[in-house]
Amino acid sequence: MSDVLPPDVRDDDLPDTMAGEFALGLLDGDARAAATRRVLAEPGFAREVEAWRTHLAQLFDLWPEMPAPDLFARIERSLYGAPAPSVVALPARAPSKFWPSLAAFSSVAAAGLLVVLFTRPLPVPQPPVAPRVVVETSPTLVASITPTAKGTPVTVVYDARAGSLRLTEASLADAKRTAELWVIPAGGTPHSLGLLQTHGGTALTLDAANRARLAAGATLAVSLEPIGGSPTGLPTGPVVATGALSRV
Amino acid sequence: MIDSTPRASVNSAAGTPEAARLRLVETLVRTGEEDRAAFRDLYSLTSAKLFGICYRICGERQAAEDVLHDVYLTIWKRAGAYEPARASPITWLATIARNRAIDWQRAQTVRRASPIEDAPPILDTAPLASDVLLEAESTHQLHACLDSLEERQRAAIRTAFFDGVTYAELAEREAVPLGTMKSWVRRGLARLKACLEG
């Protein structure tokens, strides 16, 4: 039996395989942007992308392991050692779990450093990771994200100096899905800014790449994603609210 | 047909692949509860797998380390939302690693035209069920369907997945016109889809 398609089958006759191409990560530039728009606009296409990702995930079994460097102390410093954790709950919501256990963490970090000292041939202590503060000419941007269906608009305030984003309470998610916030730079593709709290407001501290994307004119969008957020790095669920960033 | 193994029946069977998988699920769930000791365990259990992914796609050790660092920050932040019923823990973690590595690779101005040489080779066939990270419910359907493709179609799809490359890079590596490469992949995907749905 031949593996080859009959020679008279032209590519034009092939079924639409864009979802598979997108899931594999083959597309770039305009094609990637077009596929992203289809993910946002066509639930069927989004489901197909998700199905491809699920199938392709079986290939992870074939990926060989490699001895990994011991980065754990560095990871801990980034998470708990920096002045502010990357994601914090708003004070109004609940006391953060980060601080009461600071003492416990110090011991853990010390233990981690000991491990590094005794397992690395040349222990080079890494300097604490300081958050990079981008100097902006306009430090505050605001947006009102309006739900596509009924619902209260969500107010977003972005402090560019601190790289922090605060959102008022959003009742966009349901029991089975998480609301995820995206920034879509003008003419660009969506990048995740983080997940919204189910109850109460949300505060997010952005990394340098996302800070660079937040500019007046950029679009903010909220999509509904599997619990835990989009597994793909791009929106996979319906967009339920959008709004544009503008200067105060 | 391989059915997923009921979890309750293997709770006491320490040392089995299912027990290892269950341990990984628990470790990830506890990480989601901001249990730092669990997070440390998660790192020791999974960093070799995730570093293999980052290294192959990034193509250089320093970048792979930086991406791995970011991957675990993401895992810490998102683990609270991991749902054991929806995905195996290693699939969930590996997807984050692959996506982060691809993001890094796409942000580079200079592209690799050839695969890195010192990464361990990708396995040709699915490992046996003794692989502790193997998804218990996996039916290996994808592997069987990939095997039914023409060699160049299969190779292109595998390279796209494991090396995280675009069409343009794929065509350059194989020294074929872009249109030819697209045709191979699209035909391969069409056949794969028919097989997976059949």
Side-chain angles (χ1 to χ4, degrees):
Chain A
M1 197 176 81
S2 169
D3 264 352
V4 188
L5 287 173
D8 58 340
V9 175
R10 293 176 300 115
D11 283 357
D12 294 349
D13 301 326
L14 285 173
D16 177 10
T17 54
M18 192 187 231
E21 296 169 281
F22 185 61
L24 272 172
L26 279 163
L27 306 178
D28 59 0
D30 291 347
R32 189 170 189 226
T36 306
R37 280 194 297 274
R38 287 188 65 185
V39 167
L40 290 169
E42 300 172 30
F45 183 78
R47 275 195 299 275
E48 209 185 330
V49 170
E50 207 42 50
W52 272 113
R53 291 202 160 105
T54 304
H55 284 305
L56 291 169
Q58 291 177 48
L59 290 175
F60 283 124
D61 291 343
L62 305 186
W63 216 308
E65 299 187 350
M66 259 185 93
D70 185 0
L71 299 179
F72 199 73
R74 180 180 158 196
I75 291 165
E76 284 192 311
R77 270 196 304 279
S78 298
L79 279 178
Y80 333 120
S86 301
V87 178
V88 294
L90 283 180
R93 183 175 158 254
S96 168
K97 283 191 217 166
F98 280 102
W99 308 116
S101 48
L102 199 60
F105 157 68
S106 302
S107 316
V108 172
L113 283 172
L114 277 179
V115 170
V116 171
L117 284 172
F118 284 106
T119 54
R120 291 206 142 187
L122 280 174
V124 181
Q126 308 229 4
V129 181
R132 288 194 196 86
V133 175
V134 181
V135 179
E136 300 277 343
T137 47
S138 174
T140 305
L141 297 171
V142 293
S144 179
I145 316 184
T146 314
T148 48
K150 61 180 168 57
T152 319
V154 180
T155 301
V156 185
V157 178
Y158 174 59
D159 177 351
R161 200 158 283 156
S164 65
L165 200 60
R166 282 171 175 268
L167 291 89
T168 54
E169 175 155 10
S171 44
L172 296 164
D174 52 39
K176 291 182 180 169
R177 291 180 294 185
T178 301
E180 186 158 2
L181 180 68
W182 305 86
V183 58
I184 309 167
T189 53
H191 292 269
S192 177
L193 297 176
L195 306 180
L196 302 189
Q197 302 283 349
T198 315
H199 302 290
T202 302
L204 301 163
T205 301
L206 306 185
D207 61 24
N210 273 333
R211 291 179 194 197
R213 292 181 185 114
L214 285 202
T219 301
L220 295 181
V222 175
S223 70
L224 294 185
E225 299 295 334
I227 302 292
S230 165
T232 68
L234 284 171
T236 62
V239 171
V240 292
T242 57
L245 273 171
S246 58
R247 289 198 173 82
V248 174
Chain B
M1 188 61 67
I2 303 169
D3 288 319
S4 60
T5 313
R7 291 211 177 99
S9 67
V10 294
N11 271 343
S12 58
T16 65
E18 185 59 21
R21 177 185 147 90
L22 196 59
R23 181 179 171 208
L24 193 53
V25 169
E26 284 169 357
T27 309
L28 182 51
V29 168
R30 282 196 290 121
T31 298
E33 293 159 356
E34 300 190 357
D35 178 335
R36 290 172 187 175
F39 188 41
R40 174 183 291 278
D41 287 345
L42 188 71
Y43 187 86
S44 7
L45 288 170
T46 58
S47 56
K49 182 80 173 183
L50 302 194
F51 189 62
I53 293 171
C54 295
Y55 186 68
R56 184 171 192 93
I57 293 178
C58 294
E60 52 166 296
R61 179 164 279 272
Q62 189 55 52
E65 290 190 10
D66 290 344
V67 170
L68 189 69
H69 169 262
D70 284 351
V71 165
Y72 279 93
L73 299 192
T74 303
I75 290 167
W76 173 258
K77 287 179 216 162
R78 292 196 173 178
Y82 167 68
E83 282 185 291
R86 288 185 68 99
S88 86
I90 201 64
T91 293
W92 194 84
L93 297 163
T95 302
I96 291 175
R98 179 174 181 265
N99 288 338
R100 281 289 158 131
I102 288 178
D103 284 347
W104 178 88
Q105 200 234 35
R106 298 287 153 86
Q108 305 309 302
T109 46
V110 180
R111 293 297 177 79
R112 255 181 315 128
S114 57
I116 48 169
E117 281 158 13
D118 59 340
I122 297 297
L123 307 173
D124 280 336
T125 51
L128 299 173
S130 57
D131 182 338
V132 296
L133 300 176
L134 185 64
E135 252 183 284
E137 67 268 31
S138 166
T139 60
H140 293 199
Q141 186 193 15
L142 182 83
H143 300 300
C145 287
L146 270 176
D147 284 346
S148 75
L149 301 186
E150 241 183 276
E151 173 54 32
R152 59 191 183 186
Q153 296 171 349
R154 174 171 57 245
I157 290 170
R158 281 176 57 108
T159 303
F161 184 82
F162 290 114
D163 291 2
V165 291
T166 61
Y167 266 134
E169 292 161 313
L170 210 46
E172 191 183 340
R173 284 189 189 187
E174 292 300 312
V176 297
L178 186 57
T180 303
M181 181 52 74
K182 287 185 179 176
S183 174
W184 290 355
V185 170
R186 285 176 184 158
R187 284 163 180 254
L189 286 174
R191 182 178 280 269
L192 195 54
K193 186 179 175 186
C195 175
L196 289 168
E197 288 171 354

